[in-house]
Amino acid sequence: MSLSVSSAVELLFCDTLTAYIYSPNAESEVIQELLNLYPKIDLTRSVHQQLQLEYALQLYWLNLLVDGSSGQLVVSEELDNAPLYKRLEIRSDFAEFQLHSNFLLPSHPDTHESNLESTDSFPLPEHSKDVIAFLTIGSSYYLNSAIKIQLTLDSLEIAATCRAYQLKHNRYPSSLDDLAPTYLEKLPTLPYSTENFSYSPPTAEDSHPTISGTVHLEKPDDISVTWPEQAKP
C-alpha cells in the first residue's frame, strides 16, 4: 500500500481519536484501548516504498532516452541528437547517484535531504547533472511527507496518552517521563534522532499541554509539529 493511501487511513483514525479524547465523555480506559489500535508508521519503510516507485518511473524515462526518444524527458535539445554512448553514460551516472544518495538513506540519515535533489557535490558531467536533477525533482517530497505524517501521529499519541493520564489523576503529567512505561511502553522519539518531543504542561486549568518536535534538515526548511496544531513545514 502506498504512503499516500495508508497515511490517509492513519490520519483519519487520528481525527477520530482527537475528537474523542477532548470530548466531555472521554474515559481514560477507552483512550488506552484506542491507543492499542493506534497506527505505527515505519518511516524508513514508507520512504523506501515511495522512492522505489519514483525510481521505477525514473528508469522508465531513462530507458526511453537510451532507446533514442526522450519522450517526457525534455531537458535539452542536445539529448535528442546525443549518441548512444552518451545516453548510456547518463544512465550509468544516474545509477551511481542513486546508490550514493537515495539508497544510503536508512544507514546514513545525514545524507538524506540535501542529496535527494542536489547533484552539486557529485563529480558528474553537466549533461548527466541536468537529467538527474530533472528526474529526482520529486524525491524529497516523499521524505518530507513521511516525516510530517510521523510527527503528526507521534505527537497525537503523546497527547492522547497525556489526556488518559489526566482523566485518571485529575491533572496532566508534569513531564513525559510520567507516561512510560505505565501508559506508554516507550516514548516516541523524533525521526532520525533519539531525542524526545518537547513537552510543556498546561498553564491554565482548561488548557491542554503543548507537545512539539522539529526535524532539522539541511534543506529546504526544517519540519516542525506543535500539538494541538497540525504538522507544518
Side-chain angles (χ1 to χ4, degrees), residues 165 169 171-184 187:
Y165 183 99
H169 299 277
R171 65 174 179 84
Y172 279 101
S174 56
S175 75
L176 294 182
D177 292 335
D178 295 342
L179 302 178
T182 304
Y183 291 85
L184 268 179
L187 288 172

Side-chain angles (χ1 to χ4, degrees), residues 21 30 76 79 88-89 94 115 136 144 147 178 202 218 229:
I21 64 176
V30 175
S76 68
L79 283 178
L88 291 172
E89 179 186 28
F94 170 78
N115 288 342
T136 58
N144 291 348
I147 291 175
D178 295 342
E218 294 181 23
E229 297 178 15

Side-chain angles (χ1 to χ4, degrees), residues 8 20 30 43 49 70 74 79 81 116 120 143 147 153 155 163 181 191 204 209 223-224:
Y20 178 76
V30 175
L43 174 65
Q49 285 176 338
S70 59
V74 182
L79 283 178
N81 301 311
L116 283 176
D120 295 341
L143 176 63
I147 291 175
L153 290 172
S155 60
R163 174 64 168 155
I223 298 176
S224 299

Side-chain angles (χ1 to χ4, degrees), residues 200-205 207-208:
S200 298
T203 55
E205 187 174 342
S207 63
H208 305 305

Side-chain angles (χ1 to χ4, degrees), residues 10-136:
E10 291 162 351
L11 294 175
L12 181 61
F13 182 90
C14 288
D15 290 340
T16 303
L17 180 60
T18 303
Y20 178 76
I21 64 176
Y22 294 125
S23 70
N25 298 320
E27 297 180 7
S28 178
E29 291 76 10
V30 175
I31 293 176
Q32 289 179 268
E33 289 179 10
L34 289 173
L35 286 172
N36 289 332
L37 304 174
Y38 199 70
K40 302 292 185 183
I41 189 170
D42 183 339
L43 174 65
T44 301
R45 182 169 179 268
S46 297
V47 170
H48 266 256
Q49 285 176 338
Q50 293 302 316
L51 287 179
Q52 286 170 0
L53 291 175
E54 180 74 9
Y55 182 60
L57 181 59
Q58 292 164 359
L59 281 180
Y60 170 75
W61 281 342
L62 277 176
N63 285 332
L64 288 180
L65 175 66
V66 172
D67 291 340
S69 172
S70 59
Q72 297 184 56
L73 191 62
V74 182
V75 179
S76 68
E77 294 182 4
E78 295 180 2
L79 283 178
D80 293 330
N81 301 311
L84 178 60
Y85 80 86
K86 183 166 288 189
R87 298 169 187 266
L88 291 172
E89 179 186 28
I90 292 173
R91 189 167 66 176
S92 174
D93 290 340
F94 170 78
E96 180 183 0
F97 174 80
Q98 290 285 350
L99 288 172
H100 283 81
S101 55
N102 294 2
F103 294 97
L104 293 178
L105 179 64
S107 56
H108 299 276
D110 56 306
T111 69
H112 62 74
E113 183 64 21
S114 62
N115 288 342
L116 283 176
E117 292 184 1
S118 173
T119 59
D120 295 341
S121 60
F122 256 74
L124 299 175
E126 285 304 315
H127 54 266
S128 292
K129 285 189 176 184
D130 289 342
V131 173
I132 293 170
F134 177 85
L135 285 174
T136 58

